[in-house]
């Protein structure tokens, strides 16, 4: 049960991927050190802090989960979002703007970083099975398939209390999307961008929410996209044999079954230069 691929992550200006042998690839803007993952070993999941494009949102961070349940982080740490060295027993990680979440084996959730909008108020959460971070809100799936949300709700991006039978969940800038066991998608939040127009999607097996767009993978390996396409981030119609996707602020990544990666959208910081990547595998 994954909000999006734990082997692929897209941030504000960078992209991250997990190779089969536990090493990590990263490309894009690394002014804050978010791409300094070369020494990382024995990684089983990655996450990248994403935030909508704005003049004050350039820096980001990257998180890696080791097989022993410890966590690594690199990049911007203004709010302590990289202070995860003491975490133990973690089974999944998620990264948002200025924060990091960690899921424990007992279904409890850890949080560090900015919490002024309530996005780190997860201490009371129980029986959680999956996590995702938006800009200012955090979402999770309980083991019974219901949804949790906390943080900024000004566009009703946290209005997930009625969702049931979920297998995946992903949070964007001002919207949240969920995947049901029947392969249908649900969405809540800002409607003006078109990112919530997923009602007609069928046979979806994975999805991802970017800042203002949403992407999904079908059982046949095709990719669906809706929402803002001002940078070409939704130009994914020709992609084939895709098994996972990740959506950043203005770009999209797709993982092929053969372990290679494709990209679409803004390449202003080289975040789409993934053509040479190989050996990327789902855990």
């Amino acid at each position: 049960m994954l909000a999006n691929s734990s082997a692929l992550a897209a941030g504000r200006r960078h992209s991250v991927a997990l190779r089969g042998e536990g090493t990590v690839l990263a490309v894009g803007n690394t002014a804050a050190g978010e791409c300094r993952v070369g020494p990382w070993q024995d990684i089983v999941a990655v996450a990248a802090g994403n935030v909508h494009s704005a003049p004050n949102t350039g820096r980001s961070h990257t998180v890696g989960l080791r097989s022993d349940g410890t966590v690594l982080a690199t990049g911007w740490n203004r709010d302590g979002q990289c202070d995860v060295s003491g975490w133990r027993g973690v089974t999944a990680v998620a990264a948002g703007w200025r924060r990091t979440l960690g899921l424990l084996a007992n279904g409890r959730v850890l949080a560090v970083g900015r919490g002024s909008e309530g996005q780190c108020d997860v201490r009371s959460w129980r029986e959680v099975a999956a996590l995702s971070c938006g800009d200012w809100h955090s979402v999770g799936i309980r083991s019974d398939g219901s949804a949790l949300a906390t943080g900024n709700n000004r566009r009703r991006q946290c209005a997930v209390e009625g969702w049931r039978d979920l297998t995946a969940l992903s949070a964007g800038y001002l919207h949240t999307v969920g995947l049901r066991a029947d392969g249908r998608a649900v969405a809540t939040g800002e409607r003006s961008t078109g990112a919530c127009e997923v009602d007609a999607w069928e046979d979806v097996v994975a999805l991802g929410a970017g800042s203002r767009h949403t992407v999904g993978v079908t059982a046949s390996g095709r990719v669906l996209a809706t929402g803002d396409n001002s940078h070409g981030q939704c130009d994914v119609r020709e992609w084939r044999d895709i098994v996972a996707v990740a959506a950043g602020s203005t770009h999209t990544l797709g993982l092929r079954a053969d372990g290679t990666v494709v990209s679409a959208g803004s390449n202003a910081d080289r975040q789409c230069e993934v053509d040479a990547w190989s050996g990327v595998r789902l855990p």
Side-chain angles (χ1 to χ4, degrees):
M1 187 183 291
L2 298 171
N4 42 31
S5 168
S6 57
L8 203 62
R12 162 72 166 87
R13 295 179 175 178
H14 75 300
S15 301
V16 184
L18 172 64
R19 301 190 72 190
E21 73 273 19
T23 60
V24 179
L25 300 166
V27 68
N29 187 296
T30 193
E34 49 265 68
C35 291
R36 295 175 188 166
V37 297
W40 289 8
Q41 302 286 331
D42 200 28
I43 303 299
V44 296
V46 293
N50 187 30
V51 63
H52 68 286
S53 297
N56 65 335
T57 63
R59 290 171 289 183
S60 187
H61 71 297
T62 302
V63 182
L65 173 63
R66 288 195 186 109
S67 62
D68 65 0
T70 60
V71 181
L72 298 170
T74 184
W76 193 34
N77 196 34
R78 176 174 176 176
D79 291 84
Q81 58 264 44
C82 291
D83 294 344
V84 296
S85 60
W87 287 7
R88 299 290 185 273
V90 177
T91 62
V93 289
W97 190 46
R98 302 191 187 188
R99 79 187 181 286
T100 303
L101 301 183
L103 176 62
L104 297 173
N106 63 3
R108 305 284 293 271
V109 180
L110 304 172
V112 291
R114 174 171 169 159
S116 55
E117 290 84 16
Q119 61 269 60
C120 287
D121 294 344
V122 296
R123 189 170 298 179
S124 64
W125 288 10
R126 300 291 186 273
E127 299 180 355
V128 177
L131 296 169
S132 183
C133 292
D135 279 26
W136 301 310
H137 72 297
S138 302
V139 295
I141 303 177
R142 293 190 186 98
S143 56
D144 65 359
S146 60
L148 295 160
T150 186
N152 188 296
N153 194 34
R154 62 177 175 150
R155 294 292 189 273
R156 292 186 54 78
Q157 60 265 46
C158 290
V160 299
E161 59 275 358
W163 292 3
R164 297 291 183 271
D165 203 24
L166 297 175
T167 62
L169 197 65
S170 190
Y173 170 30
L174 294 172
H175 76 294
T176 302
V177 292
L179 176 61
R180 298 191 319 215
D182 63 2
R184 304 298 295 267
V186 290
T188 185
E190 176 62 58
R191 295 278 169 178
S192 64
T193 63
C196 289
E197 296 178 4
V198 299
D199 294 346
W201 289 8
E202 297 180 343
D203 298 321
V204 178
V205 296
L207 49 72
S211 288
R212 296 179 174 91
H213 72 295
T214 303
V215 291
V217 183
T218 69
S220 65
R222 304 288 291 271
V223 180
L224 306 169
T226 186
D228 177 55
N229 194 34
S230 57
H231 296 270
Q233 61 265 48
C234 290
D235 293 342
V236 297
R237 186 172 299 178
E238 303 304 316
W239 291 3
R240 299 291 185 275
D241 299 318
I242 302 298
V243 296
V245 286
S249 178
T250 55
H251 75 294
T252 303
L253 303 176
L255 173 60
R256 292 194 186 104
D258 65 2
T260 60
V261 179
V262 290
S263 63
S266 173
N267 193 37
D269 293 272
R270 299 179 51 245
Q271 64 265 49
C272 285
E273 295 184 9
V274 298
D275 293 347
W277 287 4
S278 63
V280 179
R281 293 286 186 272
L282 292 174

